[in-house]
Amino acid sequence: ARLLEEAFSAPLILNYLDEALYLFPEKVGFRVRTEEMLAELRRLRPGPWGDLLQRLLGRPVHIADVPLRADYSEAEIRRFLSEVAARYDRPPRQPQAVLKTLSFSPGRAGRRLDVEASLPLVIEALTSTGRRQVDLVVETLPPPEPTIELLGTLLEERLADFPGTAGIFVKDLASGEELGINADVAFSGMSLVKVAIVEEAYRLLDGPPDARTARLLTDTLTQRGNSAANQLLEMIGDGDAHRGTERLTESLRYLGLANTFMAAPYGEGGPLPGITTPANSRRDVNTEPDPYLQTTPKDIGLLMEMIYQCAQGGGTLIAAYPGDITPAECQAMLATMKANRQGEFIAAGLPEDTPVAHKHGWIDDTHADVGVIFSPEGDYVLSIILHRHGWLEWEVSSPLMADISRATYNYFNFKAR
């Protein structure tokens, strides 16, 4: 009886990773039912003379195997393990936005005690005289990746001292996650809408463009002048550029881009069109957008996404205009925009040789760039439009857009970095 109680009263050593913890059996109500075991042993013994006779005859001695009889509280064991978990578990630490580097500090892995998986191991050790040490089951929780909301926090911090209105739209082309900062605010459309003009021109072509049309398509996406874009509008409008702007706007509405319109060819005015959109109806923010030509960061970003999806054989453009536009035509648009050698704005924030299909634009008070970035860890859309009342200095807009681009690239390529 004494040997039994000494053997089973020894504390268990529970290893939570590198931490050694002691569990005293009485803490969980463990008690050996010694008298029951001894009584069973007496019933199983052959008697002293029978045992002696077996020895004298050289026969095997009778072994009485009496199983352990003990009481313990499973609820108390579970409670003890829960207390261990509360003390030693550690949740993963979220990564943090770092404005100085326009990147993110890595998170920290966490750990969690699996109480249910550890429970039978502890019970087994409690009822064993030879194995009084247990390696608890501890699950390692990987450090979390930055979220797109954390990217938004970083961009907001970078924009804090910008003396104007900034509109940003980001979309992960794999997951579909979006981030918007003033993404539904109306801005002047400038040359950004030339992306829509080229898309509509391709849609109306019956086959590959002839040499003249091919040049107009290329110049519209890569050159600063507006002549090529206006000639494409004439083609869209069957010889009437104004009719071309109407058809362009109708097509954009059909695609769901309700905040983007063109009311007159580039360089032409006339009576104010008075076109109302959800974006320019807002009263909380006003970027004094061109009354003839408007878009939003989200609208123009979604159009770039449509072209990207079309180039891969799917998406809204092909669904909306089956047979009118082809993957080859969308691939041609992206290839042309990749050849855009304007190295400021979005491109300035990317590592050298990162492919980017983009279109920029600027007027006195508004500068912008929109593009699809083909990064090592995933493709994404980024559109940026900056406005400052009266005049926006290039020395302000260019480094700011580069920083926004760099921070976004760092978010999408956090693991690789």
Short mmCIF file of all heavy atoms in Angstrom, two decimals, residues 256-307:
data_model
loop_
_atom_site.label_atom_id
_atom_site.label_comp_id
_atom_site.label_asym_id
_atom_site.label_seq_id
_atom_site.Cartn_x
_atom_site.Cartn_y
_atom_site.Cartn_z
N GLY A 256 -21.53 49.60 -66.13
CA GLY A 256 -21.67 49.86 -64.71
C GLY A 256 -20.79 50.96 -64.18
O GLY A 256 -20.73 51.18 -62.96
N LEU A 257 -20.11 51.70 -65.06
CA LEU A 257 -19.21 52.77 -64.64
C LEU A 257 -19.97 54.09 -64.71
O LEU A 257 -19.75 54.93 -65.57
CB LEU A 257 -17.96 52.79 -65.52
CG LEU A 257 -17.23 51.43 -65.59
CD1 LEU A 257 -16.03 51.51 -66.55
CD2 LEU A 257 -16.78 50.98 -64.21
N ALA A 258 -20.88 54.28 -63.73
CA ALA A 258 -21.85 55.38 -63.78
C ALA A 258 -21.24 56.74 -63.50
O ALA A 258 -21.88 57.76 -63.74
CB ALA A 258 -22.97 55.11 -62.77
N ASN A 259 -20.02 56.79 -62.99
CA ASN A 259 -19.40 58.07 -62.63
C ASN A 259 -18.42 58.57 -63.67
O ASN A 259 -17.72 59.57 -63.43
CB ASN A 259 -18.69 57.94 -61.28
CG ASN A 259 -19.67 57.73 -60.14
OD1 ASN A 259 -20.65 58.46 -60.02
ND2 ASN A 259 -19.42 56.72 -59.32
N THR A 260 -18.32 57.90 -64.79
CA THR A 260 -17.38 58.29 -65.84
C THR A 260 -18.16 58.70 -67.08
O THR A 260 -19.04 57.98 -67.53
CB THR A 260 -16.43 57.13 -66.18
OG1 THR A 260 -15.76 56.72 -64.98
CG2 THR A 260 -15.39 57.55 -67.20
N PHE A 261 -17.83 59.88 -67.62
CA PHE A 261 -18.49 60.34 -68.84
C PHE A 261 -17.58 61.29 -69.61
O PHE A 261 -16.63 61.85 -69.07
CB PHE A 261 -19.83 61.02 -68.52
CG PHE A 261 -19.71 62.32 -67.77
CD1 PHE A 261 -19.45 63.52 -68.42
CD2 PHE A 261 -19.87 62.35 -66.39
CE1 PHE A 261 -19.35 64.72 -67.73
CE2 PHE A 261 -19.77 63.53 -65.67
CZ PHE A 261 -19.51 64.72 -66.35
N MET A 262 -17.93 61.47 -70.88
CA MET A 262 -17.27 62.43 -71.75
C MET A 262 -18.36 63.16 -72.52
O MET A 262 -19.15 62.53 -73.23
CB MET A 262 -16.29 61.72 -72.70
CG MET A 262 -15.36 62.64 -73.43
SD MET A 262 -14.07 61.70 -74.33
CE MET A 262 -12.93 63.05 -74.67
N ALA A 263 -18.42 64.48 -72.37
CA ALA A 263 -19.50 65.26 -72.98
C ALA A 263 -19.05 66.04 -74.19
O ALA A 263 -19.89 66.61 -74.89
CB ALA A 263 -20.09 66.22 -71.95
N ALA A 264 -17.74 66.06 -74.45
CA ALA A 264 -17.23 66.77 -75.63
C ALA A 264 -15.84 66.24 -75.94
O ALA A 264 -15.14 65.75 -75.05
CB ALA A 264 -17.17 68.28 -75.37
N PRO A 265 -15.43 66.31 -77.21
CA PRO A 265 -14.07 65.88 -77.54
C PRO A 265 -13.04 66.74 -76.80
O PRO A 265 -13.35 67.83 -76.30
CB PRO A 265 -13.99 66.09 -79.05
CG PRO A 265 -15.41 66.10 -79.52
CD PRO A 265 -16.19 66.70 -78.41
N TYR A 266 -11.82 66.24 -76.73
CA TYR A 266 -10.74 66.98 -76.07
C TYR A 266 -10.57 68.34 -76.74
O TYR A 266 -10.56 68.46 -77.96
CB TYR A 266 -9.43 66.20 -76.13
CG TYR A 266 -9.39 65.03 -75.17
CD1 TYR A 266 -9.57 63.73 -75.63
CD2 TYR A 266 -9.17 65.22 -73.82
CE1 TYR A 266 -9.54 62.64 -74.76
CE2 TYR A 266 -9.12 64.14 -72.94
CZ TYR A 266 -9.30 62.86 -73.41
OH TYR A 266 -9.27 61.80 -72.54
N GLY A 267 -10.44 69.39 -75.90
CA GLY A 267 -10.19 70.74 -76.40
C GLY A 267 -11.43 71.48 -76.85
O GLY A 267 -11.33 72.63 -77.27
N GLU A 268 -12.59 70.87 -76.78
CA GLU A 268 -13.82 71.52 -77.21
C GLU A 268 -14.73 71.71 -76.00
O GLU A 268 -14.75 70.91 -75.09
CB GLU A 268 -14.53 70.69 -78.28
CG GLU A 268 -13.71 70.53 -79.55
CD GLU A 268 -14.50 69.87 -80.65
OE1 GLU A 268 -15.75 69.95 -80.61
OE2 GLU A 268 -13.88 69.28 -81.55
N GLY A 269 -15.50 72.80 -76.05
CA GLY A 269 -16.41 73.11 -74.96
C GLY A 269 -17.82 73.23 -75.46
O GLY A 269 -18.35 72.33 -76.08
N GLY A 270 -18.42 74.40 -75.19
CA GLY A 270 -19.81 74.61 -75.57
C GLY A 270 -20.66 74.76 -74.33
O GLY A 270 -20.14 74.96 -73.21
N PRO A 271 -21.97 74.66 -74.48
CA PRO A 271 -22.85 74.78 -73.31
C PRO A 271 -22.53 73.69 -72.28
O PRO A 271 -22.21 72.57 -72.64
CB PRO A 271 -24.26 74.58 -73.90
CG PRO A 271 -24.11 74.85 -75.36
CD PRO A 271 -22.70 74.46 -75.73
N LEU A 272 -22.61 74.06 -71.02
CA LEU A 272 -22.32 73.09 -69.97
C LEU A 272 -23.30 71.92 -70.06
O LEU A 272 -24.51 72.13 -70.15
CB LEU A 272 -22.41 73.73 -68.59
CG LEU A 272 -21.31 74.76 -68.26
CD1 LEU A 272 -21.55 75.37 -66.89
CD2 LEU A 272 -19.94 74.10 -68.31
N PRO A 273 -22.78 70.71 -70.03
CA PRO A 273 -23.66 69.55 -70.24
C PRO A 273 -24.57 69.26 -69.05
O PRO A 273 -25.63 68.66 -69.20
CB PRO A 273 -22.68 68.41 -70.48
CG PRO A 273 -21.44 68.83 -69.77
CD PRO A 273 -21.37 70.32 -69.91
N GLY A 274 -24.14 69.64 -67.87
CA GLY A 274 -24.97 69.40 -66.69
C GLY A 274 -25.21 67.94 -66.40
O GLY A 274 -26.29 67.56 -65.94
N ILE A 275 -24.23 67.10 -66.68
CA ILE A 275 -24.38 65.66 -66.42
C ILE A 275 -24.22 65.40 -64.92
O ILE A 275 -23.23 65.81 -64.30
CB ILE A 275 -23.36 64.85 -67.22
CG1 ILE A 275 -23.62 65.04 -68.73
CG2 ILE A 275 -23.40 63.39 -66.84
CD1 ILE A 275 -22.62 64.36 -69.62
N THR A 276 -25.18 64.72 -64.35
CA THR A 276 -25.16 64.42 -62.92
C THR A 276 -24.84 62.95 -62.71
O THR A 276 -25.40 62.07 -63.37
CB THR A 276 -26.52 64.74 -62.28
OG1 THR A 276 -26.80 66.13 -62.47
CG2 THR A 276 -26.51 64.44 -60.79
N THR A 277 -23.92 62.70 -61.79
CA THR A 277 -23.55 61.33 -61.42
C THR A 277 -23.59 61.21 -59.89
O THR A 277 -23.60 62.23 -59.19
CB THR A 277 -22.14 60.98 -61.91
OG1 THR A 277 -21.18 61.75 -61.14
CG2 THR A 277 -21.96 61.28 -63.39
N PRO A 278 -23.61 60.00 -59.38
CA PRO A 278 -23.54 59.85 -57.91
C PRO A 278 -22.30 60.52 -57.33
O PRO A 278 -22.35 61.08 -56.24
CB PRO A 278 -23.51 58.33 -57.71
CG PRO A 278 -24.21 57.78 -58.92
CD PRO A 278 -23.84 58.70 -60.04
N ALA A 279 -21.20 60.48 -58.07
CA ALA A 279 -19.95 61.04 -57.55
C ALA A 279 -19.98 62.56 -57.51
O ALA A 279 -19.59 63.18 -56.51
CB ALA A 279 -18.77 60.55 -58.39
N ASN A 280 -20.43 63.21 -58.61
CA ASN A 280 -20.39 64.68 -58.60
C ASN A 280 -21.59 65.30 -57.91
O ASN A 280 -21.72 66.52 -57.84
CB ASN A 280 -20.21 65.24 -60.02
CG ASN A 280 -21.39 64.97 -60.94
OD1 ASN A 280 -22.51 64.72 -60.50
ND2 ASN A 280 -21.12 65.01 -62.24
N SER A 281 -22.49 64.44 -57.39
CA SER A 281 -23.62 64.93 -56.60
C SER A 281 -23.27 65.06 -55.13
O SER A 281 -24.07 65.59 -54.35
CB SER A 281 -24.83 64.01 -56.77
OG SER A 281 -25.24 63.94 -58.11
N ARG A 282 -22.13 64.57 -54.75
CA ARG A 282 -21.73 64.64 -53.35
C ARG A 282 -21.47 66.08 -52.93
O ARG A 282 -21.00 66.90 -53.72
CB ARG A 282 -20.47 63.81 -53.11
CG ARG A 282 -20.69 62.32 -53.32
CD ARG A 282 -19.41 61.53 -53.17
NE ARG A 282 -18.75 61.72 -51.87
CZ ARG A 282 -17.79 60.94 -51.41
NH1 ARG A 282 -17.38 59.90 -52.12
NH2 ARG A 282 -17.25 61.18 -50.24
N ARG A 283 -21.76 66.38 -51.66
CA ARG A 283 -21.54 67.72 -51.12
C ARG A 283 -20.42 67.77 -50.08
O ARG A 283 -20.04 68.84 -49.64
CB ARG A 283 -22.84 68.24 -50.49
CG ARG A 283 -23.98 68.42 -51.52
CD ARG A 283 -23.66 69.57 -52.46
NE ARG A 283 -24.70 69.72 -53.48
CZ ARG A 283 -24.59 69.25 -54.72
NH1 ARG A 283 -23.50 68.57 -55.08
NH2 ARG A 283 -25.56 69.43 -55.60
N ASP A 284 -19.91 66.58 -49.72
CA ASP A 284 -18.88 66.55 -48.68
C ASP A 284 -17.49 66.83 -49.22
O ASP A 284 -16.57 67.14 -48.46
CB ASP A 284 -18.89 65.19 -47.97
CG ASP A 284 -18.67 64.04 -48.93
OD1 ASP A 284 -19.12 64.13 -50.08
OD2 ASP A 284 -18.04 63.04 -48.52
N VAL A 285 -17.30 66.70 -50.53
CA VAL A 285 -15.99 66.93 -51.11
C VAL A 285 -16.18 67.41 -52.55
O VAL A 285 -17.07 66.94 -53.25
CB VAL A 285 -15.13 65.64 -51.07
CG1 VAL A 285 -15.81 64.50 -51.82
CG2 VAL A 285 -13.73 65.87 -51.62
N ASN A 286 -15.34 68.35 -52.96
CA ASN A 286 -15.45 68.92 -54.31
C ASN A 286 -14.06 69.16 -54.86
O ASN A 286 -13.29 69.94 -54.32
CB ASN A 286 -16.23 70.23 -54.27
CG ASN A 286 -16.40 70.85 -55.65
OD1 ASN A 286 -16.19 70.19 -56.66
ND2 ASN A 286 -16.77 72.12 -55.68
N THR A 287 -13.74 68.46 -55.95
CA THR A 287 -12.43 68.62 -56.60
C THR A 287 -12.52 69.50 -57.85
O THR A 287 -11.58 69.52 -58.64
CB THR A 287 -11.85 67.25 -56.98
OG1 THR A 287 -12.67 66.68 -58.02
CG2 THR A 287 -11.80 66.31 -55.79
N GLU A 288 -13.63 70.21 -57.98
CA GLU A 288 -13.84 71.09 -59.14
C GLU A 288 -13.59 70.34 -60.46
O GLU A 288 -12.81 70.78 -61.30
CB GLU A 288 -12.92 72.31 -59.05
CG GLU A 288 -13.07 73.06 -57.73
CD GLU A 288 -11.89 73.97 -57.42
OE1 GLU A 288 -10.78 73.44 -57.22
OE2 GLU A 288 -12.10 75.18 -57.38
N PRO A 289 -14.25 69.19 -60.65
CA PRO A 289 -13.95 68.38 -61.83
C PRO A 289 -14.41 69.05 -63.12
O PRO A 289 -15.37 69.82 -63.14
CB PRO A 289 -14.73 67.09 -61.56
CG PRO A 289 -15.87 67.51 -60.69
CD PRO A 289 -15.32 68.60 -59.82
N ASP A 290 -13.72 68.73 -64.20
CA ASP A 290 -14.06 69.19 -65.54
C ASP A 290 -15.52 68.82 -65.83
O ASP A 290 -15.87 67.64 -65.79
CB ASP A 290 -13.12 68.52 -66.55
CG ASP A 290 -13.33 69.01 -67.97
OD1 ASP A 290 -14.40 69.56 -68.27
OD2 ASP A 290 -12.40 68.82 -68.79
N PRO A 291 -16.40 69.77 -66.15
CA PRO A 291 -17.81 69.42 -66.37
C PRO A 291 -18.03 68.57 -67.62
O PRO A 291 -19.09 67.95 -67.76
CB PRO A 291 -18.50 70.79 -66.51
CG PRO A 291 -17.43 71.73 -66.92
CD PRO A 291 -16.18 71.23 -66.26
N TYR A 292 -17.02 68.50 -68.52
CA TYR A 292 -17.16 67.73 -69.75
C TYR A 292 -16.52 66.34 -69.68
O TYR A 292 -16.75 65.51 -70.54
CB TYR A 292 -16.51 68.49 -70.93
CG TYR A 292 -17.15 69.83 -71.19
CD1 TYR A 292 -16.63 70.98 -70.63
CD2 TYR A 292 -18.27 69.93 -72.01
CE1 TYR A 292 -17.22 72.22 -70.88
CE2 TYR A 292 -18.87 71.16 -72.25
CZ TYR A 292 -18.33 72.30 -71.68
OH TYR A 292 -18.92 73.51 -71.92
N LEU A 293 -15.72 66.11 -68.64
CA LEU A 293 -14.91 64.88 -68.64
C LEU A 293 -14.60 64.50 -67.20
O LEU A 293 -13.80 65.17 -66.54
CB LEU A 293 -13.62 65.13 -69.42
CG LEU A 293 -12.65 63.96 -69.59
CD1 LEU A 293 -13.29 62.82 -70.34
CD2 LEU A 293 -11.39 64.43 -70.31
N GLN A 294 -15.23 63.44 -66.72
CA GLN A 294 -15.05 63.07 -65.32
C GLN A 294 -14.89 61.56 -65.16
O GLN A 294 -15.35 60.78 -66.00
CB GLN A 294 -16.25 63.54 -64.48
CG GLN A 294 -16.37 65.05 -64.37
CD GLN A 294 -17.57 65.48 -63.55
OE1 GLN A 294 -18.10 64.70 -62.74
NE2 GLN A 294 -17.99 66.72 -63.72
N THR A 295 -14.26 61.19 -64.07
CA THR A 295 -14.18 59.79 -63.65
C THR A 295 -13.93 59.75 -62.16
O THR A 295 -13.83 60.81 -61.50
CB THR A 295 -13.09 59.03 -64.42
OG1 THR A 295 -13.22 57.62 -64.17
CG2 THR A 295 -11.69 59.46 -64.00
N THR A 296 -13.81 58.57 -61.62
CA THR A 296 -13.44 58.38 -60.22
C THR A 296 -12.29 57.38 -60.18
O THR A 296 -12.11 56.59 -61.12
CB THR A 296 -14.60 57.83 -59.37
OG1 THR A 296 -14.94 56.51 -59.86
CG2 THR A 296 -15.82 58.73 -59.46
N PRO A 297 -11.51 57.36 -59.09
CA PRO A 297 -10.46 56.34 -58.99
C PRO A 297 -11.00 54.92 -59.13
O PRO A 297 -10.36 54.07 -59.76
CB PRO A 297 -9.86 56.60 -57.60
CG PRO A 297 -10.14 58.04 -57.33
CD PRO A 297 -11.47 58.32 -57.97
N LYS A 298 -12.18 54.67 -58.57
CA LYS A 298 -12.73 53.31 -58.64
C LYS A 298 -13.18 52.97 -60.05
O LYS A 298 -12.89 51.87 -60.56
CB LYS A 298 -13.88 53.15 -57.66
CG LYS A 298 -14.44 51.73 -57.61
CD LYS A 298 -15.44 51.55 -56.49
CE LYS A 298 -15.91 50.10 -56.41
NZ LYS A 298 -16.83 49.88 -55.28
N ASP A 299 -13.90 53.89 -60.70
CA ASP A 299 -14.38 53.61 -62.05
C ASP A 299 -13.25 53.27 -63.00
O ASP A 299 -13.28 52.27 -63.73
CB ASP A 299 -15.15 54.81 -62.60
CG ASP A 299 -16.65 54.69 -62.40
OD1 ASP A 299 -17.07 53.87 -61.57
OD2 ASP A 299 -17.41 55.41 -63.07
N ILE A 300 -12.22 54.12 -63.02
CA ILE A 300 -11.15 53.90 -63.99
C ILE A 300 -10.33 52.67 -63.60
O ILE A 300 -9.80 51.95 -64.47
CB ILE A 300 -10.26 55.16 -64.12
CG1 ILE A 300 -9.46 55.11 -65.42
CG2 ILE A 300 -9.39 55.37 -62.91
CD1 ILE A 300 -10.29 55.16 -66.67
N GLY A 301 -10.25 52.39 -62.28
CA GLY A 301 -9.58 51.17 -61.85
C GLY A 301 -10.33 49.93 -62.25
O GLY A 301 -9.74 48.93 -62.68
N LEU A 302 -11.66 49.96 -62.14
CA LEU A 302 -12.47 48.81 -62.54
C LEU A 302 -12.39 48.58 -64.05
O LEU A 302 -12.43 47.43 -64.51
CB LEU A 302 -13.92 49.01 -62.11
CG LEU A 302 -14.19 48.93 -60.61
CD1 LEU A 302 -15.65 49.20 -60.31
CD2 LEU A 302 -13.78 47.58 -60.04
N LEU A 303 -12.29 49.66 -64.83
CA LEU A 303 -12.13 49.48 -66.28
C LEU A 303 -10.81 48.77 -66.59
O LEU A 303 -10.76 47.88 -67.46
CB LEU A 303 -12.18 50.83 -66.99
CG LEU A 303 -12.04 50.78 -68.52
CD1 LEU A 303 -13.14 49.93 -69.16
CD2 LEU A 303 -12.03 52.19 -69.11
N MET A 304 -9.76 49.13 -65.87
CA MET A 304 -8.48 48.43 -66.06
C MET A 304 -8.61 46.96 -65.68
O MET A 304 -8.06 46.08 -66.35
CB MET A 304 -7.39 49.10 -65.23
CG MET A 304 -6.98 50.48 -65.72
SD MET A 304 -6.23 50.47 -67.36
CE MET A 304 -4.68 49.65 -67.03
N GLU A 305 -9.36 46.68 -64.62
CA GLU A 305 -9.58 45.28 -64.24
C GLU A 305 -10.33 44.53 -65.35
O GLU A 305 -10.00 43.38 -65.66
CB GLU A 305 -10.38 45.20 -62.94
CG GLU A 305 -10.66 43.76 -62.51
CD GLU A 305 -11.72 43.65 -61.44
OE1 GLU A 305 -12.53 44.59 -61.29
OE2 GLU A 305 -11.76 42.60 -60.76
N MET A 306 -11.32 45.18 -65.95
CA MET A 306 -12.08 44.54 -67.03
C MET A 306 -11.18 44.18 -68.20
O MET A 306 -11.30 43.11 -68.79
CB MET A 306 -13.20 45.47 -67.50
CG MET A 306 -14.31 45.68 -66.49
SD MET A 306 -15.54 46.86 -67.14
CE MET A 306 -16.45 47.24 -65.65
N ILE A 307 -10.27 45.09 -68.54
CA ILE A 307 -9.35 44.83 -69.65
C ILE A 307 -8.42 43.67 -69.29
O ILE A 307 -8.15 42.78 -70.11
CB ILE A 307 -8.55 46.09 -70.00
CG1 ILE A 307 -9.51 47.18 -70.52
CG2 ILE A 307 -7.47 45.81 -71.02
CD1 ILE A 307 -8.87 48.54 -70.68
#
